[in-house]
PDB file of all heavy atoms in Angstrom:
ATOM      1  N   ILE A  11      -5.753   9.667   0.680  1.00 97.00           N
ATOM      2  CA  ILE A  11      -6.481  10.900   0.448  1.00 97.00           C
ATOM      3  C   ILE A  11      -5.638  12.092   0.893  1.00 97.00           C
ATOM      4  O   ILE A  11      -5.599  13.148   0.194  1.00 97.00           O
ATOM      5  CB  ILE A  11      -7.830  10.885   1.230  1.00 97.00           C
ATOM      6  CG1 ILE A  11      -8.786   9.836   0.616  1.00 97.00           C
ATOM      7  CG2 ILE A  11      -8.510  12.273   1.252  1.00 97.00           C
ATOM      8  CD1 ILE A  11      -9.996   9.576   1.464  1.00 97.00           C
ATOM      9  N   ASN A  12      -4.912  11.906   2.060  1.00 97.00           N
ATOM     10  CA  ASN A  12      -4.147  13.065   2.533  1.00 97.00           C
ATOM     11  C   ASN A  12      -2.634  12.996   2.078  1.00 97.00           C
ATOM     12  O   ASN A  12      -1.854  13.856   2.440  1.00 97.00           O
ATOM     13  CB  ASN A  12      -4.103  12.972   4.039  1.00 97.00           C
ATOM     14  CG  ASN A  12      -5.533  13.201   4.690  1.00 97.00           C
ATOM     15  OD1 ASN A  12      -6.292  13.934   4.143  1.00 97.00           O
ATOM     16  ND2 ASN A  12      -5.842  12.481   5.713  1.00 97.00           N
ATOM     17  N   VAL A  13      -2.320  11.962   1.249  1.00 97.00           N
ATOM     18  CA  VAL A  13      -0.915  11.726   0.776  1.00 97.00           C
ATOM     19  C   VAL A  13      -0.045  11.858   1.994  1.00 97.00           C
ATOM     20  O   VAL A  13       0.933  12.640   2.003  1.00 97.00           O
ATOM     21  CB  VAL A  13      -0.520  12.753  -0.352  1.00 97.00           C
ATOM     22  CG1 VAL A  13       0.755  12.207  -1.060  1.00 97.00           C
ATOM     23  CG2 VAL A  13      -1.673  12.941  -1.405  1.00 97.00           C
ATOM     24  N   ASP A  14      -0.297  11.077   3.011  1.00 97.00           N
ATOM     25  CA  ASP A  14       0.320  11.111   4.310  1.00 97.00           C
ATOM     26  C   ASP A  14       1.355  10.029   4.445  1.00 97.00           C
ATOM     27  O   ASP A  14       1.053   8.907   4.823  1.00 97.00           O
ATOM     28  CB  ASP A  14      -0.719  11.014   5.417  1.00 97.00           C
ATOM     29  CG  ASP A  14      -0.153  11.227   6.832  1.00 97.00           C
ATOM     30  OD1 ASP A  14       1.046  11.107   6.985  1.00 97.00           O
ATOM     31  OD2 ASP A  14      -0.974  11.444   7.746  1.00 97.00           O
ATOM     32  N   GLY A  15       2.606  10.349   4.043  1.00 97.00           N
ATOM     33  CA  GLY A  15       3.661   9.390   4.049  1.00 97.00           C
ATOM     34  C   GLY A  15       3.978   8.781   5.425  1.00 97.00           C
ATOM     35  O   GLY A  15       4.024   7.540   5.482  1.00 97.00           O
ATOM     36  N   PRO A  16       4.105   9.520   6.439  1.00 97.00           N
ATOM     37  CA  PRO A  16       4.402   8.951   7.787  1.00 97.00           C
ATOM     38  C   PRO A  16       3.327   7.951   8.226  1.00 97.00           C
ATOM     39  O   PRO A  16       3.652   6.864   8.880  1.00 97.00           O
ATOM     40  CB  PRO A  16       4.472  10.173   8.676  1.00 97.00           C
ATOM     41  CG  PRO A  16       4.949  11.266   7.811  1.00 97.00           C
ATOM     42  CD  PRO A  16       4.283  11.008   6.473  1.00 97.00           C
ATOM     43  N   GLU A  17       2.076   8.328   7.983  1.00 97.00           N
ATOM     44  CA  GLU A  17       0.999   7.407   8.379  1.00 97.00           C
ATOM     45  C   GLU A  17       1.095   6.167   7.519  1.00 97.00           C
ATOM     46  O   GLU A  17       0.859   5.008   8.064  1.00 97.00           O
ATOM     47  CB  GLU A  17      -0.365   8.070   8.123  1.00 97.00           C
ATOM     48  CG  GLU A  17      -1.609   7.164   8.330  1.00 97.00           C
ATOM     49  CD  GLU A  17      -1.781   6.677   9.736  1.00 97.00           C
ATOM     50  OE1 GLU A  17      -1.070   7.054  10.663  1.00 97.00           O
ATOM     51  OE2 GLU A  17      -2.715   5.778   9.922  1.00 97.00           O
ATOM     52  N   ALA A  18       1.422   6.219   6.304  1.00 98.00           N
ATOM     53  CA  ALA A  18       1.598   5.048   5.416  1.00 98.00           C
ATOM     54  C   ALA A  18       2.689   4.157   5.946  1.00 98.00           C
ATOM     55  O   ALA A  18       2.509   2.891   5.985  1.00 98.00           O
ATOM     56  CB  ALA A  18       1.909   5.485   3.990  1.00 98.00           C
ATOM     57  N   VAL A  19       3.756   4.749   6.378  1.00 97.00           N
ATOM     58  CA  VAL A  19       4.857   3.934   6.911  1.00 97.00           C
ATOM     59  C   VAL A  19       4.452   3.181   8.168  1.00 97.00           C
ATOM     60  O   VAL A  19       4.722   2.015   8.363  1.00 97.00           O
ATOM     61  CB  VAL A  19       6.055   4.866   7.254  1.00 97.00           C
ATOM     62  CG1 VAL A  19       7.136   4.024   8.074  1.00 97.00           C
ATOM     63  CG2 VAL A  19       6.698   5.395   5.970  1.00 97.00           C
ATOM     64  N   ARG A  20       3.613   3.846   9.022  1.00 97.00           N
ATOM     65  CA  ARG A  20       3.127   3.199  10.251  1.00 97.00           C
ATOM     66  C   ARG A  20       2.289   1.969   9.884  1.00 97.00           C
ATOM     67  O   ARG A  20       2.383   0.929  10.519  1.00 97.00           O
ATOM     68  CB  ARG A  20       2.293   4.228  11.078  1.00 97.00           C
ATOM     69  CG  ARG A  20       1.804   3.605  12.430  1.00 97.00           C
ATOM     70  CD  ARG A  20       0.822   4.561  13.070  1.00 97.00           C
ATOM     71  NE  ARG A  20      -0.416   4.628  12.314  1.00 97.00           N
ATOM     72  CZ  ARG A  20      -1.425   3.688  12.336  1.00 97.00           C
ATOM     73  NH1 ARG A  20      -1.190   2.603  13.101  1.00 97.00           N
ATOM     74  NH2 ARG A  20      -2.476   3.779  11.633  1.00 97.00           N
ATOM     75  N   ILE A  21       1.414   2.117   8.796  1.00 97.00           N
ATOM     76  CA  ILE A  21       0.579   0.982   8.420  1.00 97.00           C
ATOM     77  C   ILE A  21       1.406  -0.178   7.949  1.00 97.00           C
ATOM     78  O   ILE A  21       1.147  -1.334   8.244  1.00 97.00           O
ATOM     79  CB  ILE A  21      -0.363   1.461   7.339  1.00 97.00           C
ATOM     80  CG1 ILE A  21      -1.402   2.497   7.868  1.00 97.00           C
ATOM     81  CG2 ILE A  21      -1.088   0.334   6.635  1.00 97.00           C
ATOM     82  CD1 ILE A  21      -2.142   3.247   6.783  1.00 97.00           C
ATOM     83  N   ILE A  22       2.509   0.103   7.261  1.00 97.00           N
ATOM     84  CA  ILE A  22       3.389  -0.921   6.730  1.00 97.00           C
ATOM     85  C   ILE A  22       3.995  -1.650   7.891  1.00 97.00           C
ATOM     86  O   ILE A  22       4.078  -2.936   7.887  1.00 97.00           O
ATOM     87  CB  ILE A  22       4.457  -0.290   5.763  1.00 97.00           C
ATOM     88  CG1 ILE A  22       3.776   0.260   4.523  1.00 97.00           C
ATOM     89  CG2 ILE A  22       5.520  -1.285   5.414  1.00 97.00           C
ATOM     90  CD1 ILE A  22       4.695   1.139   3.668  1.00 97.00           C
ATOM     91  N   VAL A  23       4.486  -0.931   8.874  1.00 96.00           N
ATOM     92  CA  VAL A  23       5.208  -1.490  10.024  1.00 96.00           C
ATOM     93  C   VAL A  23       4.325  -2.399  10.894  1.00 96.00           C
ATOM     94  O   VAL A  23       4.674  -3.491  11.286  1.00 96.00           O
ATOM     95  CB  VAL A  23       5.860  -0.423  10.884  1.00 96.00           C
ATOM     96  CG1 VAL A  23       6.384  -1.020  12.178  1.00 96.00           C
ATOM     97  CG2 VAL A  23       6.955   0.298  10.136  1.00 96.00           C
ATOM     98  N   GLN A  24       3.063  -1.964  11.053  1.00 95.00           N
ATOM     99  CA  GLN A  24       2.171  -2.710  11.943  1.00 95.00           C
ATOM    100  C   GLN A  24       1.643  -3.970  11.328  1.00 95.00           C
ATOM    101  O   GLN A  24       1.010  -4.784  12.018  1.00 95.00           O
ATOM    102  CB  GLN A  24       0.987  -1.801  12.407  1.00 95.00           C
ATOM    103  CG  GLN A  24      -0.073  -1.527  11.370  1.00 95.00           C
ATOM    104  CD  GLN A  24      -1.230  -0.748  11.850  1.00 95.00           C
ATOM    105  OE1 GLN A  24      -1.198  -0.120  12.918  1.00 95.00           O
ATOM    106  NE2 GLN A  24      -2.286  -0.678  11.068  1.00 95.00           N
ATOM    107  N   ASP A  25       1.823  -4.202  10.043  1.00 95.00           N
ATOM    108  CA  ASP A  25       1.349  -5.394   9.365  1.00 95.00           C
ATOM    109  C   ASP A  25       1.852  -6.703  10.030  1.00 95.00           C
ATOM    110  O   ASP A  25       1.239  -7.739   9.966  1.00 95.00           O
ATOM    111  CB  ASP A  25       1.665  -5.365   7.896  1.00 95.00           C
ATOM    112  CG  ASP A  25       1.149  -6.572   7.169  1.00 95.00           C
ATOM    113  OD1 ASP A  25      -0.106  -6.792   7.156  1.00 95.00           O
ATOM    114  OD2 ASP A  25       1.919  -7.365   6.577  1.00 95.00           O
ATOM    115  N   LYS A  26       3.072  -6.589  10.651  1.00 95.00           N
ATOM    116  CA  LYS A  26       3.723  -7.802  11.223  1.00 95.00           C
ATOM    117  C   LYS A  26       2.887  -8.321  12.319  1.00 95.00           C
ATOM    118  O   LYS A  26       2.838  -9.532  12.584  1.00 95.00           O
ATOM    119  CB  LYS A  26       5.120  -7.448  11.666  1.00 95.00           C
ATOM    120  CG  LYS A  26       5.168  -6.473  12.829  1.00 95.00           C
ATOM    121  CD  LYS A  26       6.657  -6.197  13.244  1.00 95.00           C
ATOM    122  CE  LYS A  26       6.746  -5.215  14.371  1.00 95.00           C
ATOM    123  NZ  LYS A  26       8.148  -4.935  14.765  1.00 95.00           N
ATOM    124  N   GLU A  27       2.046  -7.481  12.975  1.00 95.00           N
ATOM    125  CA  GLU A  27       1.211  -7.950  14.022  1.00 95.00           C
ATOM    126  C   GLU A  27       0.078  -8.837  13.511  1.00 95.00           C
ATOM    127  O   GLU A  27      -0.257  -9.843  14.176  1.00 95.00           O
ATOM    128  CB  GLU A  27       0.564  -6.741  14.787  1.00 95.00           C
ATOM    129  CG  GLU A  27       1.593  -5.843  15.474  1.00 95.00           C
ATOM    130  CD  GLU A  27       0.976  -4.562  15.994  1.00 95.00           C
ATOM    131  OE1 GLU A  27      -0.287  -4.426  15.919  1.00 95.00           O
ATOM    132  OE2 GLU A  27       1.716  -3.678  16.483  1.00 95.00           O
ATOM    133  N   LEU A  28      -0.390  -8.573  12.322  1.00 96.00           N
ATOM    134  CA  LEU A  28      -1.400  -9.397  11.717  1.00 96.00           C
ATOM    135  C   LEU A  28      -0.815 -10.782  11.345  1.00 96.00           C
ATOM    136  O   LEU A  28      -1.484 -11.805  11.575  1.00 96.00           O
ATOM    137  CB  LEU A  28      -1.926  -8.711  10.443  1.00 96.00           C
ATOM    138  CG  LEU A  28      -3.256  -9.240   9.887  1.00 96.00           C
ATOM    139  CD1 LEU A  28      -4.428  -8.943  10.835  1.00 96.00           C
ATOM    140  CD2 LEU A  28      -3.522  -8.653   8.484  1.00 96.00           C
ATOM    141  N   ASN A  29       0.424 -10.785  10.850  1.00 95.00           N
ATOM    142  CA  ASN A  29       1.061 -11.988  10.522  1.00 95.00           C
ATOM    143  C   ASN A  29       1.285 -12.836  11.752  1.00 95.00           C
ATOM    144  O   ASN A  29       1.171 -14.091  11.703  1.00 95.00           O
ATOM    145  CB  ASN A  29       2.456 -11.751   9.875  1.00 95.00           C
ATOM    146  CG  ASN A  29       2.307 -10.999   8.551  1.00 95.00           C
ATOM    147  OD1 ASN A  29       1.265 -11.056   7.882  1.00 95.00           O
ATOM    148  ND2 ASN A  29       3.302 -10.306   8.170  1.00 95.00           N
ATOM    149  N   GLN A  30       1.537 -12.234  12.895  1.00 97.00           N
ATOM    150  CA  GLN A  30       1.740 -12.976  14.125  1.00 97.00           C
ATOM    151  C   GLN A  30       0.445 -13.665  14.649  1.00 97.00           C
ATOM    152  O   GLN A  30       0.465 -14.772  15.136  1.00 97.00           O
ATOM    153  CB  GLN A  30       2.276 -11.981  15.252  1.00 97.00           C
ATOM    154  CG  GLN A  30       3.742 -11.556  14.974  1.00 97.00           C
ATOM    155  CD  GLN A  30       4.130 -10.469  15.856  1.00 97.00           C
ATOM    156  OE1 GLN A  30       3.336  -9.863  16.623  1.00 97.00           O
ATOM    157  NE2 GLN A  30       5.428 -10.132  15.836  1.00 97.00           N
ATOM    158  N   ILE A  31      -0.672 -12.972  14.419  1.00 97.00           N
ATOM    159  CA  ILE A  31      -1.961 -13.603  14.797  1.00 97.00           C
ATOM    160  C   ILE A  31      -2.244 -14.792  13.914  1.00 97.00           C
ATOM    161  O   ILE A  31      -2.733 -15.823  14.361  1.00 97.00           O
ATOM    162  CB  ILE A  31      -3.058 -12.546  14.697  1.00 97.00           C
ATOM    163  CG1 ILE A  31      -2.876 -11.329  15.612  1.00 97.00           C
ATOM    164  CG2 ILE A  31      -4.438 -13.232  15.017  1.00 97.00           C
ATOM    165  CD1 ILE A  31      -3.822 -10.256  15.480  1.00 97.00           C
ATOM    166  N   GLU A  32      -1.968 -14.658  12.617  1.00 97.00           N
ATOM    167  CA  GLU A  32      -2.165 -15.817  11.720  1.00 97.00           C
ATOM    168  C   GLU A  32      -1.388 -16.988  12.174  1.00 97.00           C
ATOM    169  O   GLU A  32      -1.774 -18.180  12.116  1.00 97.00           O
ATOM    170  CB  GLU A  32      -1.807 -15.469  10.286  1.00 97.00           C
ATOM    171  CG  GLU A  32      -2.064 -16.621   9.301  1.00 97.00           C
ATOM    172  CD  GLU A  32      -1.516 -16.454   7.907  1.00 97.00           C
ATOM    173  OE1 GLU A  32      -0.655 -15.597   7.764  1.00 97.00           O
ATOM    174  OE2 GLU A  32      -1.953 -17.151   6.990  1.00 97.00           O
ATOM    175  N   GLU A  33      -0.135 -16.762  12.602  1.00 97.00           N
ATOM    176  CA  GLU A  33       0.804 -17.815  13.082  1.00 97.00           C
ATOM    177  C   GLU A  33       0.138 -18.459  14.337  1.00 97.00           C
ATOM    178  O   GLU A  33       0.209 -19.743  14.504  1.00 97.00           O
ATOM    179  CB  GLU A  33       2.166 -17.273  13.443  1.00 97.00           C
ATOM    180  CG  GLU A  33       2.911 -16.868  12.177  1.00 97.00           C
ATOM    181  CD  GLU A  33       4.314 -16.199  12.513  1.00 97.00           C
ATOM    182  OE1 GLU A  33       4.558 -16.136  13.740  1.00 97.00           O
ATOM    183  OE2 GLU A  33       4.969 -15.792  11.612  1.00 97.00           O
ATOM    184  N   ARG A  34      -0.410 -17.713  15.203  1.00 97.00           N
ATOM    185  CA  ARG A  34      -1.142 -18.261  16.394  1.00 97.00           C
ATOM    186  C   ARG A  34      -2.265 -19.088  16.026  1.00 97.00           C
ATOM    187  O   ARG A  34      -2.497 -20.156  16.651  1.00 97.00           O
ATOM    188  CB  ARG A  34      -1.549 -17.114  17.342  1.00 97.00           C
ATOM    189  CG  ARG A  34      -0.358 -16.378  18.041  1.00 97.00           C
ATOM    190  CD  ARG A  34      -0.868 -15.055  18.695  1.00 97.00           C
ATOM    191  NE  ARG A  34      -1.911 -15.293  19.665  1.00 97.00           N
ATOM    192  CZ  ARG A  34      -2.599 -14.287  20.191  1.00 97.00           C
ATOM    193  NH1 ARG A  34      -2.372 -13.050  19.787  1.00 97.00           N
ATOM    194  NH2 ARG A  34      -3.493 -14.540  21.092  1.00 97.00           N
ATOM    195  N   ILE A  35      -3.019 -18.738  15.004  1.00 97.00           N
ATOM    196  CA  ILE A  35      -4.097 -19.549  14.585  1.00 97.00           C
ATOM    197  C   ILE A  35      -3.659 -20.842  14.003  1.00 97.00           C
ATOM    198  O   ILE A  35      -4.193 -21.902  14.319  1.00 97.00           O
ATOM    199  CB  ILE A  35      -5.003 -18.727  13.516  1.00 97.00           C
ATOM    200  CG1 ILE A  35      -5.688 -17.584  14.163  1.00 97.00           C
ATOM    201  CG2 ILE A  35      -5.957 -19.667  12.760  1.00 97.00           C
ATOM    202  CD1 ILE A  35      -6.358 -16.660  13.176  1.00 97.00           C
ATOM    203  N   SER A  36      -2.593 -20.751  13.280  1.00 96.00           N
ATOM    204  CA  SER A  36      -2.034 -22.028  12.665  1.00 96.00           C
ATOM    205  C   SER A  36      -1.564 -22.972  13.787  1.00 96.00           C
ATOM    206  O   SER A  36      -1.833 -24.140  13.773  1.00 96.00           O
ATOM    207  CB  SER A  36      -0.902 -21.718  11.667  1.00 96.00           C
ATOM    208  OG  SER A  36      -1.295 -20.965  10.664  1.00 96.00           O
ATOM    209  N   GLU A  37      -0.855 -22.438  14.731  1.00 96.00           N
ATOM    210  CA  GLU A  37      -0.387 -23.249  15.870  1.00 96.00           C
ATOM    211  C   GLU A  37      -1.460 -23.857  16.691  1.00 96.00           C
ATOM    212  O   GLU A  37      -1.434 -25.070  16.977  1.00 96.00           O
ATOM    213  CB  GLU A  37       0.576 -22.432  16.717  1.00 96.00           C
ATOM    214  CG  GLU A  37       1.881 -22.020  16.038  1.00 96.00           C
ATOM    215  CD  GLU A  37       2.667 -20.930  16.850  1.00 96.00           C
ATOM    216  OE1 GLU A  37       2.186 -20.512  17.905  1.00 96.00           O
ATOM    217  OE2 GLU A  37       3.751 -20.462  16.360  1.00 96.00           O
ATOM    218  N   LEU A  38      -2.425 -23.069  16.991  1.00 95.00           N
ATOM    219  CA  LEU A  38      -3.602 -23.518  17.848  1.00 95.00           C
ATOM    220  C   LEU A  38      -4.394 -24.587  17.086  1.00 95.00           C
ATOM    221  O   LEU A  38      -4.732 -25.603  17.649  1.00 95.00           O
ATOM    222  CB  LEU A  38      -4.512 -22.325  18.194  1.00 95.00           C
ATOM    223  CG  LEU A  38      -5.788 -22.667  19.010  1.00 95.00           C
ATOM    224  CD1 LEU A  38      -5.427 -23.436  20.282  1.00 95.00           C
ATOM    225  CD2 LEU A  38      -6.566 -21.418  19.343  1.00 95.00           C
ATOM    226  N   GLY A  39      -4.627 -24.350  15.778  1.00 94.00           N
ATOM    227  CA  GLY A  39      -5.376 -25.237  15.002  1.00 94.00           C
ATOM    228  C   GLY A  39      -4.654 -26.602  14.885  1.00 94.00           C
ATOM    229  O   GLY A  39      -5.282 -27.711  15.012  1.00 94.00           O
ATOM    230  N   ALA A  40      -3.373 -26.517  14.655  1.00 94.00           N
ATOM    231  CA  ALA A  40      -2.582 -27.784  14.514  1.00 94.00           C
ATOM    232  C   ALA A  40      -2.567 -28.598  15.785  1.00 94.00           C
ATOM    233  O   ALA A  40      -2.652 -29.802  15.814  1.00 94.00           O
ATOM    234  CB  ALA A  40      -1.142 -27.405  14.116  1.00 94.00           C
ATOM    235  N   THR A  41      -2.522 -27.838  16.933  1.00 94.00           N
ATOM    236  CA  THR A  41      -2.547 -28.515  18.218  1.00 94.00           C
ATOM    237  C   THR A  41      -3.871 -29.196  18.509  1.00 94.00           C
ATOM    238  O   THR A  41      -3.932 -30.309  18.931  1.00 94.00           O
ATOM    239  CB  THR A  41      -2.276 -27.507  19.375  1.00 94.00           C
ATOM    240  OG1 THR A  41      -1.004 -26.895  19.173  1.00 94.00           O
ATOM    241  CG2 THR A  41      -2.351 -28.159  20.716  1.00 94.00           C
ATOM    242  N   LEU A  42      -4.954 -28.539  18.117  1.00 92.00           N
ATOM    243  CA  LEU A  42      -6.292 -29.107  18.268  1.00 92.00           C
ATOM    244  C   LEU A  42      -6.456 -30.414  17.415  1.00 92.00           C
ATOM    245  O   LEU A  42      -7.012 -31.408  17.832  1.00 92.00           O
ATOM    246  CB  LEU A  42      -7.397 -28.093  17.908  1.00 92.00           C
ATOM    247  CG  LEU A  42      -7.656 -26.997  18.936  1.00 92.00           C
ATOM    248  CD1 LEU A  42      -8.538 -25.915  18.272  1.00 92.00           C
ATOM    249  CD2 LEU A  42      -8.094 -27.515  20.251  1.00 92.00           C
ATOM    250  N   ILE A  43      -5.864 -30.328  16.197  1.00 93.00           N
ATOM    251  CA  ILE A  43      -5.987 -31.461  15.313  1.00 93.00           C
ATOM    252  C   ILE A  43      -5.170 -32.663  15.871  1.00 93.00           C
ATOM    253  O   ILE A  43      -5.644 -33.804  15.904  1.00 93.00           O
ATOM    254  CB  ILE A  43      -5.526 -31.179  13.880  1.00 93.00           C
ATOM    255  CG1 ILE A  43      -6.588 -30.244  13.199  1.00 93.00           C
ATOM    256  CG2 ILE A  43      -5.397 -32.433  13.056  1.00 93.00           C
ATOM    257  CD1 ILE A  43      -6.066 -29.726  11.865  1.00 93.00           C
ATOM    258  N   ALA A  44      -4.040 -32.360  16.383  1.00 92.00           N
ATOM    259  CA  ALA A  44      -3.153 -33.416  16.908  1.00 92.00           C
ATOM    260  C   ALA A  44      -3.668 -34.020  18.200  1.00 92.00           C
ATOM    261  O   ALA A  44      -3.509 -35.213  18.393  1.00 92.00           O
ATOM    262  CB  ALA A  44      -1.774 -32.789  17.097  1.00 92.00           C
ATOM    263  N   THR A  45      -4.242 -33.194  19.053  1.00 90.00           N
ATOM    264  CA  THR A  45      -4.627 -33.698  20.356  1.00 90.00           C
ATOM    265  C   THR A  45      -6.055 -34.144  20.465  1.00 90.00           C
ATOM    266  O   THR A  45      -6.415 -35.002  21.326  1.00 90.00           O
ATOM    267  CB  THR A  45      -4.359 -32.579  21.470  1.00 90.00           C
ATOM    268  OG1 THR A  45      -5.140 -31.444  21.139  1.00 90.00           O
ATOM    269  CG2 THR A  45      -2.909 -32.173  21.536  1.00 90.00           C
ATOM    270  N   GLN A  46      -6.905 -33.590  19.624  1.00 86.00           N
ATOM    271  CA  GLN A  46      -8.388 -33.892  19.707  1.00 86.00           C
ATOM    272  C   GLN A  46      -8.849 -34.785  18.610  1.00 86.00           C
ATOM    273  O   GLN A  46      -9.912 -35.404  18.690  1.00 86.00           O
ATOM    274  CB  GLN A  46      -9.165 -32.561  19.774  1.00 86.00           C
ATOM    275  CG  GLN A  46      -8.740 -31.582  20.810  1.00 86.00           C
ATOM    276  CD  GLN A  46      -9.081 -32.038  22.172  1.00 86.00           C
ATOM    277  OE1 GLN A  46     -10.078 -32.696  22.453  1.00 86.00           O
ATOM    278  NE2 GLN A  46      -8.213 -31.752  23.148  1.00 86.00           N
ATOM    279  N   GLN A  47      -8.106 -34.844  17.524  1.00 86.00           N
ATOM    280  CA  GLN A  47      -8.440 -35.698  16.395  1.00 86.00           C
ATOM    281  C   GLN A  47      -9.887 -35.526  15.969  1.00 86.00           C
ATOM    282  O   GLN A  47     -10.690 -36.431  15.897  1.00 86.00           O
ATOM    283  CB  GLN A  47      -8.199 -37.178  16.692  1.00 86.00           C
ATOM    284  CG  GLN A  47      -6.688 -37.457  16.994  1.00 86.00           C
ATOM    285  CD  GLN A  47      -6.416 -38.930  17.316  1.00 86.00           C
ATOM    286  OE1 GLN A  47      -7.285 -39.599  17.874  1.00 86.00           O
ATOM    287  NE2 GLN A  47      -5.265 -39.409  16.946  1.00 86.00           N
TER     288      GLN A  47
END
């Protein structure tokens, strides 16, 4: 709406944090399956 380029760049950069959370979910879930069956 504001055609705010710097804010857009910030949004792009912070996406890696979301990917890291997904990786933590994958690791935790895999551990639960392996150890708790």
Side-chain angles (χ1 to χ4, degrees):
I11 292 170
N12 296 324
V13 197
D14 187 341
E17 172 66 5
V19 171
R20 186 191 65 80
I21 292 166
I22 294 167
V23 170
Q24 75 178 9
D25 182 62
K26 65 181 180 182
E27 297 172 6
L28 196 68
N29 297 336
Q30 290 169 351
I31 300 174
E32 185 193 15
E33 290 173 5
R34 288 167 59 193
I35 290 170
S36 297
E37 292 169 0
L38 177 56
T41 299
L42 287 174
I43 291 174
T45 60
Q46 305 293 324
Q47 298 179 330

